[in-house]
Amino acid sequence: MPGETHLYCMAPQARASHILVKTEDEATRLLKRIQDGEDFAEVAKRFSKCPSGKNGGDLGWFGKGQMVPEFETAAFGNDVGTIVGTVKTQFGFHVIKVTGRK
């Protein structure tokens, strides 16, 4: 009917930023720097080995099945604003900041 608003069911999505490094020790050190007050995006720009580092680690929105399982578990299993580390994947070690959910 005219004027009606329809809400469509969408698959859950998450948004996250991350810092990717080669070793668990490096990821742990970077996580500590962030916990001690350094800006996540600035640390990502300086240290992340992922191309997303130039954007402060922002990976944008993604749905389930689009990331490797370990990363997906961290992104969908934690509250928005949570920083999760260290997460090991086939790519290396991540420090992950959950930045959105819809």
Side-chain angles (χ1 to χ4, degrees), residues 11-14 61-77 90-91:
Q13 290 191 319
W61 291 99
F62 53 89
K64 289 190 175 185
Q66 291 185 272
M67 299 292 180
V68 293
E70 304 88 347
F71 195 100
E72 182 177 296
T73 297
F76 283 95
Q90 67 199 52
F91 302 106

Side-chain angles (χ1 to χ4, degrees), residues 9-67:
C9 292
M10 290 179 55
Q13 290 191 319
R15 186 171 189 159
S17 295
H18 79 136
I19 301 166
L20 174 64
V21 293
K22 291 184 179 184
T23 69
E24 187 172 14
D25 286 343
E26 189 176 3
T28 300
R29 282 196 304 277
L30 296 176
L31 176 61
K32 174 104 171 76
R33 290 173 74 148
I34 294 162
Q35 289 170 335
D36 288 346
E38 285 194 52
D39 181 68
F40 188 99
E42 291 304 315
V43 174
K45 285 176 187 175
R46 289 183 57 203
F47 297 102
S48 185
K49 306 302 183 211
C50 180
S52 68
K54 70 181 181 300
N55 298 322
D58 183 26
L59 294 170
W61 291 99
F62 53 89
K64 289 190 175 185
Q66 291 185 272
M67 299 292 180

Side-chain angles (χ1 to χ4, degrees), residues 67-87:
M67 299 292 180
V68 293
E70 304 88 347
F71 195 100
E72 182 177 296
T73 297
F76 283 95
N78 289 282
D79 293 332
V80 172
T82 301
I83 297 175
V84 185
T86 59
V87 176

